[in-house]
């Protein structure tokens, strides 16, 4: 394999070929040496700005400084000002973090300004840290989207500034809790260390006492150390300056008044306050850090630097009188380098930093679920915009790029990873902006898909897209009696899915190929209720489709005008539904689930499932005035209200699908669904509009109560990858004083959670990030939707009370949980694949009439792979890098301990065996064989030669 | 007379030797020509900042950006930032106004930065306008202090920047009404024009309709035109940018979003809004001005300039498509030059712009009186710090300067002229800061006075000062039985005063020289009530002193321990008091004044005087929610409440003084006083603490009701100089719709007001600036004190409710009104001199024991003048200019029409006739003879050679 020399750096970031060896890492020669004094307390002042890529304002409003009535913040001016001020004094330093903003600024600069900035970067006066497109959220992001956004930012820096622009430090000063998988990714990307600002208040106190605010985070239980080891430092004051030393235009602290001719000369006061604060910060070395900046600061950098210059001057002047404190402009990497030099052994940590509480009743566990619709839209956008479109661009080559597809779509996904984007903690208009950007991306992506499919299928038929199939809306299938549907599979293995299309006809005219199971079923009342004048189909055509690896199949459909009636609904409680793998029983009195059995393994558990709501605290009680809000989950009582003891039900049973439709209230319903051939029980929930006419905020959960003996333990994934063990009222590294029995036991569930005992493991795969916990033995609860009437006083200044023009009475949200019941030692063999299919869903396109009249009965298809990859290997990324290069990431998607079969190292060959147009031709690859160990990600740049 | 060539410029500013000939003035060659287009509408954008020299924060807090919690404002950063930004684009312009701030900044700059700024000034990119130390208030300032503060600012600019630093435009964008005397001074200082922002809302509307927002202001009725003619322009939007175009960091208007790749591209919207606003501003030429800035703006000038650059770019780009609008960076002087070129004749105005109302119930006439104690302290400081100290420094030469006296005192006076300083419209802590600066000045000034008197008297006896004689407190005279008092006379004519010293002994041991009238009188109960534990003297020694022109007399006092008792008080209503000139009668039933007679002229009027209070509006009524406040006077009713129908009285009648002491209430008392030999009846009022336990704000007036037939007309002075005619419910230039019958008829009284008919003129000379009006026929009312419970919503955000640590229950204020009754044609002969003595009071210093035991009975003295100047000539300024030069200003203090005798031109000789040490020796003066016409001020720089 020959990699492009210009892009070698990215191999350092994204693959493990280079060993990351933190304690012994050599300082870069381009890194400015700090001028610390060995016999003094060295105070590293780090001027910085924290520029949210959207929060109270949209990302572009922040860039321009628009809507300053909401929040004064204008990033264009920050960068203007910082560059100006750095030029005034060569000692000054600045770090910049968010490439989404830097990019916007850079492309508007003159060549001479660009040259000036390059010089500042080369001299280490302007240093990039973190360097991703944004500072991603850690609780609600999926690792694949995080890697993509980091790639976008780092690539820009590398191509613009070369080696000197390489960030050496990961810098997540604001995210509200820290995921182990993020640390693992940062380690594998080659960062020398990681700094953050927020951790549990008890944890911080404990670490202060133990001198463990610096630590070595071993961030994978599967990758061999030190692959995922990351030095981690906790900043002393969040990311803010010490109290009394904020000199930004947004602050009111007294400036240094050093003109003796004027009133209020205060140099002595300032210096003595500063020395007091510096000496109070006890760490293990004689180097300490102070973050001199905060949100959107340095818009007028002169204020900061003018006073910092004076502070340094006057504090260091005391050295002549014997002072042992030395203050210097610095950066996180300079500070880190001094810590390295100390040659100490740091405390080891193997768990993560969730949940985050900043006080005893203030657990930031609400945002794990906040804005569930946006969270789902982000997740499906990852599949459509990022993965599918990138793949099709590679597969179809230049022909795919005649449309408007480009960087824009990827940027929409990249900004959505921000810690106030997919997290759901932004203002409503900003959430709308993220969604709109994604929607724009979808439109452009669809042009690319159309181009690509036209090229691959040699057909110019107009492609039509139906983005509202989740509510059974598709104008084409509702009105046309002849159409074709093309199903693209972004996975590298063949997959079958059930496709559901709204139709007004009944059965198909021509029989589908025999491998397809086809049925027409009535659209459920719940769906009819939420469509709100969009679509009027009364039936759905349900059929099983298959698509080859990295390829598509096309199915033609012709409907009868007056065919046989759809499958009938039985309006009574069903006894059970089942397919070849699973059997589900229902309580005949309540209509609720009562058991789940795996027919293959002969295991069976009691399983009751119902919906409840926590009454969100309004802040009006004696222990604390903290309400539930976008960030914070604080139920008023630990006992949730049940929505209904019983469900009204209808049952539809066909050869393709068996459904029990349950109604719990006008605002909660569910379809319990088993498709033929599926190892997963699907629970399709529909929740909303949450009623607020009782003036009570509501946080709706579904709870699964089982016979599994969980001993207060459950498991959640980290960013969709490795799974961590969670124990009730327990933290691995300190003795927890639990003060919120529900919220304090909630963890982020990005893709799955499970409970298990020796015999049984019930895994729940989610379709988006959600919060959840296991409060009772055998129980697992997942929060689905939240509607709150109070702001939680963390800055967003809006209650999380989502409405839209379509849902003025409150958002209705629909989603799916997939349940699998397996023996614990092999459970991952099922849930890894189910979850993979949940993340990367097939993309459907439609054409009206016959796609090709001559082949109307054929299923036509295409595969981009010569052979399917084994189940353990995930084709994480396949994307055009530039004109000649294609970026390929392969991943082993099992942890080392979770499957006897699948957790083995696996070797795949990149060699092309014949001259198919598939994946083009990879030339000069050596070695051809790529071996992946559990949880390993390997990245390749492939030179593509068109034949 | 040979003037110093380096200081010639100041002759241009301050004397009429150079004719100011506005319409024909040639543009300076250093003035950048604007690049206006003759066939287009040219929009002059004037980037500017308005930097109050104290208001919500102190002047130094504003300079540093301290206390940004009160108001975000830091002038040091404004100047830093503007200079940076001017360097980025040579088209950019900026004007700077307040030299108090610029000076603070300049002296902290490096030589290279100073050179950079000089370059910007030379190129016209940074232009000074106005250029005084501050932008003085126009309603409550005295012309002498205004001239001094303007001199300080302009001198700094001249010495720092030479001719290119000379301001060509006077710029009073914020003061709340405009005095004719200010316009007259500006014209005589050589300004090419004057711009301001505030005028009565009816006046503005009228002028907009009449196209008279540009005008020629003929600002003197005595000086021959065009000496006091000043082109005056009214800015279109106060001094703010057009709505929607404020791009300062303090504003929220949308920035120009011109990156088509980002959301919210708005160039078309911005341009079209701008064109709409520009075309709506109809003026007489095709040049219009827009002030692009406001209070303390441009702290981050990049925001403004970046957007203005874009605005100019995009608006002018439309010219290619036929647009006839041309936008340019400009300055007021460039704009003015274009108006000159239009060669038009402008409307003539001869009155002034008082009072100012910004809406129908919002008359800014309260500040004429607000903070009466500060107003008095400023006025007496002018006498002590500015005039007396400056004179003594000249008279005693270098020996006077061994102490700390210097620029500081003059700066304290200069900043006190600011339009939120002596105006009384600042926050309380800022008022305290002004007073403290003045108090510091007094201390330093007293060192200089001690040095000077020591040198002039060849005695090193320790000089003691008693600053609280107004409340009969002086520790020395209260405790010592032998002391000497030296009385310095800052006037250029001999004057006699009555000196009152608190003593605990009784009559003097040794008789005073026969020309001194001496009495011991009991300290009044009112004084004892307000001393608040400072001083316990029960008696006052009262005696007449005389001091020579520009010189002093010393009186030795030795008190008897047990001498005869003091003059007795008679506790009943007196019938009358009188001296050789005046007779005053009292109503035997009420104890109030009943008549005043001039015994020389045989004229007599009925005169009743009493105290009343207006109930300040709390804003809670139907017409308007405007309360009375620091700026605004709005009585709740047009009828004031009488404080008492009758006065309790005591009478003291001696050969030196005759007093009727009147008590109206616990918080209002008065002494009606006639000194032997005086042509003025003194009313010493003591008002306060105003009670607020009834939750009613109070505005206390005294009202003189006479038999004079005033026909709704009265007269007030302008800044202590020329007198203007005021007619009730009338404005000379437009038809007034009167909506506030009291507040809308109030005018500033700086030094005097009078009412008259054919026979009688009653003139009231005040000891400070006050507001007043003539609401009824024959009546004159003067507002003395105000205590208010609501803010008046003009920014100060505090009710004007003055307390202090000595007066926690509210300030007590004491002052004097001097009444003269004369025949109208000669009344000025009296009131001009009385007022002159009120402004420039004698300075008393004390020495303990005998000053010189050998001359204990002698009155010793000194005069700095060879001969007294005639009454019409006022020695306005005598101050050391530099090592060699002395600045001398002579003034004719009569208007042309007011006295048959005194309004004649007068010639004085500057020639020194013999070799006295007086005024040193003026060499090479030619012509020796200086002729002054009415109201003329002439300025000389004299080279002093020490013999």
């Amino acid at each position: 394999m020959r990699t492009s020399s210009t892009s070698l750096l990215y191999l350092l970031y994204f693959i493990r070929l280079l060993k990351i060896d933190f304690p012994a890492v050599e300082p870069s020669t381009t890194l400015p040496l700090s001028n610390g004094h060995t016999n003094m307390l060295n105070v590293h002042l780090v001027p910085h700005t924290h520029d949210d890529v959207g929060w109270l304002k949209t990302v572009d409003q922040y860039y321009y400084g628009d809507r300053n009535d909401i929040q004064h913040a204008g990033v264009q001016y920050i960068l203007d000002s910082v560059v100006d001020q750095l030029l005034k004094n060569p000692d000054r330093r600045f770090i910049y973090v968010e490439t989404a903003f830097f990019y916007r600024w850079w492309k508007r600069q003159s060549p001479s300004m660009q040259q000036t900035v390059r010089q500042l970067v080369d001299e280490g006066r302007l240093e990039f840290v973190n360097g991703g497109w944004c500072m991603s959220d850690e609780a609600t992001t999926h690792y694949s989207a995080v890697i993509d956004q980091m790639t976008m930012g780092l690539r820009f820096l590398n191509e613009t500034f070369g080696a000197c622009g390489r960030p050496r430090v990961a810098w997540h000063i604001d995210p509200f809790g820290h995921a182990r998988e993020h640390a693992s990714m940062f380690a594998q990307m080659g960062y020398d260390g990681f700094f953050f600002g927020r951790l549990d208040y008890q944890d911080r106190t404990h670490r202060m006492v133990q001198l463990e605010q610096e630590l070595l985070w071993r961030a994978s239980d599967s990758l061999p150390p030190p692959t995922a080891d990351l030095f981690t430092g906790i900043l002393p004051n969040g990311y803010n300056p010490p109290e009394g030393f904020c000199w930004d235009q947004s602050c009111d602290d007294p400036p240094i008044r050093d003109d003796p001719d004027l009133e209020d000369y205060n140099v002595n006061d300032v210096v003595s306050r500063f020395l007091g604060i510096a000496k109070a910060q006890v760490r293990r070395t004689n180097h300490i850090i102070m973050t001199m900046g905060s949100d959107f600061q340095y818009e007028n950098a002169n204020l900061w630097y003018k006073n910092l210059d004076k502070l340094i001057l006057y504090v260091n002047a005391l050295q002549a009188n014997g002072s042992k404190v030395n203050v210097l402009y610095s950066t996180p990497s300079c500070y880190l380098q001094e810590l390295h030099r100390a040659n100490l052994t740091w405390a080891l940590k193997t768990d993560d930093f969730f949940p985050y509480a900043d006080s005893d009743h203030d657990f930031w566990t609400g945002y794990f679920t906040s804005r569930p619709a946006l969270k789902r839209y982000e997740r499906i956008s990852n599949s459509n915009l990022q993965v599918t479109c990138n793949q099709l661009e590679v597969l179809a080559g230049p022909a795919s790029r005649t449309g408007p597809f480009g960087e824009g779509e990827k940027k929409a996904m990249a900004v959505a990873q921000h810690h106030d984007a997919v997290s759901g903690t932004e203002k409503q208009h900003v959430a709308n902006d993220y969604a709109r950007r994604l929607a724009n991306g979808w439109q452009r992506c669809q042009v690319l898909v159309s181009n690509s499919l036209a090229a691959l299928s040699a057909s110019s038929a107009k492609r039509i897209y139906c983005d509202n199939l989740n509510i059974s809306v598709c104008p084409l299938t509702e009105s046309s009696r002849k159409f074709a549907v093309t199903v693209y599979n972004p996975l590298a293995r063949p997959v079958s899915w059930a496709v559901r299309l709204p139709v007004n006809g009944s059965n198909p005219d021509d029989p589908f190929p025999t491998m397809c199971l086809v049925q027409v079923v009535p659209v459920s009342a719940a769906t009819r209720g939420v469509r709100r004048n969009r679509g009027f189909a009364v039936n759905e055509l349900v059929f099983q489709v298959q698509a080859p690896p990295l390829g598509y199949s096309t199915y033609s459909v012709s409907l009868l005008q007056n065919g046989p009636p759809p499958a009938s609904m039985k309006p009574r409680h069903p006894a059970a539904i089942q397919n070849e793998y699973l059997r589900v029983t229902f309580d005949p009195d309540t209509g609720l689930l009562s058991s789940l059995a795996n027919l293959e393994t002969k295991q069976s558990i009691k399983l009751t499932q119902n919906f409840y709501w926590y009454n969100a605290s309004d802040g009006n009680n004696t222990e604390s005035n903290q309400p539930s809000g976008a960030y914070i989950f604080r139920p008023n009582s630990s006992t949730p209200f049940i929505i209904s003891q019983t469900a009204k039900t209808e049952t539809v049973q066909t050869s393709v699908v068996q459904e029990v439709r349950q109604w719990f209230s006008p605002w909660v319903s569910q379809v319990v669904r088993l498709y033929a051939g599926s190892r997963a029980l699907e629970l399709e929930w529909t929740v909303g509009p949450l009623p607020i006419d009782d003036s009570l905020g509501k946080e709706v959960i579904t709870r699964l109560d089982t016979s599994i003996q969980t001993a207060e333990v459950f498991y959640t994934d980290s960013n969709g990858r490795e799974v961590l063990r969670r124990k009730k009222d327990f933290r691995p590294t300190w003795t927890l004083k639990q003060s919120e029995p529900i919220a304090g036991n909630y963890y982020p569930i990005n893709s799955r959670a499970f409970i298990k005992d020796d015999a049984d493991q019930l895994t729940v795969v989610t379709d988006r990030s959600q919060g959840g916990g296991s409060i009772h033995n055998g129980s697992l609860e997942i929060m689905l939707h939240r509607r709150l009437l109070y702001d939680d006083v963390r800055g967003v200044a809006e209650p999380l009370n989502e409405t839209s023009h379509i849902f003025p009475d409150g958002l209705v949200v629909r989603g799916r949980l997939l349940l699998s019941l397996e023996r614990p030692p092999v459970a991952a063999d099922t849930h890894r694949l189910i979850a993979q299919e949940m993340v990367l869903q097939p993309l459907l396109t439609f054409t009206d009439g016959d796609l090709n009249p001559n082949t109307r009965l054929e299923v036509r298809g295409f595969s981009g792979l010569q052979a399917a990859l084994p189940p353990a290997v995930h084709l994480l990324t396949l994307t055009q890098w530039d004109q000649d290069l294609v970026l390929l990431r392969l991943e082993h998607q099992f942890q080392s301990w979770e499957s006897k079969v699948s957790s083995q190292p696996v070797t795949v060959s990149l060699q092309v065996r014949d001259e198919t147009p598939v994946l083009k031709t990879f030339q000069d690859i050596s070695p051809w064989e790529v071996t992946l160990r559990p949880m390993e990600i390997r990245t390749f740049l492939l030179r593509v030669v068109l034949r």
Side-chain angles (χ1 to χ4, degrees), chain A residues 687-706:
Chain A
V687 176
L690 302 191
I692 52 171
D693 45 7
D694 54 5
S695 298
L696 301 177
K698 296 184 179 59
E699 324 213 24
V700 174
I701 61 164
T702 186
R703 197 174 72 211
L704 305 164
D705 293 301
T706 73

Side-chain angles (χ1 to χ4, degrees), chain A residues 476-588:
Chain A
L476 174 68
T477 63
E478 291 174 57
S479 58
S480 173
R481 294 189 50 249
K482 279 190 182 175
F483 56 86
V485 52
T486 297
V487 182
Y488 176 80
N489 172 19
L491 297 178
R493 57 185 172 88
V495 182
S496 67
W497 293 274
V499 168
R500 300 174 76 98
L501 304 177
V503 291
N504 281 310
S506 53
N507 277 9
D509 182 10
D510 298 301
F512 268 41
T514 51
M515 69 282 196
C516 294
L517 295 165
V518 182
Q519 288 290 343
V520 173
V521 300
V523 167
S524 78
T527 295
R528 291 197 303 271
V530 301
R531 286 193 299 206
R532 305 282 172 106
N533 296 326
R534 292 169 299 169
F536 297 93
V538 294
N539 293 328
E540 282 184 293
L541 177 67
V542 186
F543 56 103
Q544 291 277 355
V545 298
Q546 283 195 313
L550 216 62
Y552 65 82
S553 303
T554 298
Y555 296 81
S556 294
V557 178
S558 179
L559 294 171
L560 294 173
Q561 187 67 40
N562 295 304
S568 64
M569 292 185 297
K570 297 165 191 162
R572 56 178 165 76
H573 294 338
I577 57 175
Q578 75 175 68
N579 68 3
E580 54 268 57
Y581 298 114
L582 297 173
R583 175 180 170 81
V584 189
T585 65
F586 293 82
D587 183 313

Side-chain angles (χ1 to χ4, degrees), chain A residues 818-839:
Chain A
L818 299 183
L819 274 56
S820 70
L821 177 67
E822 301 286 345
R823 297 296 177 199
V826 295
D829 294 337
T830 300
H831 73 66
R832 284 282 170 199
L833 301 189
I834 293 173
Q836 188 189 31
E837 292 167 35
M838 187 72 115
V839 169

Side-chain angles (χ1 to χ4, degrees), chain A residues 190 343 702 737 747 782 790:
Chain A
N343 204 19
T702 186
K737 179 167 163 282
Y747 290 88
I782 295 176
Y790 298 93

Side-chain angles (χ1 to χ4, degrees), chain A residues 178-180 183 216-219 228-230 232 349 351-353:
Chain A
H178 301 283
R180 200 178 73 180
L216 186 68
W217 198 350
R218 184 150 293 163
D229 287 357
L230 187 67
T232 301
K349 179 178 175 76
D351 64 320
D352 66 359
F353 288 96

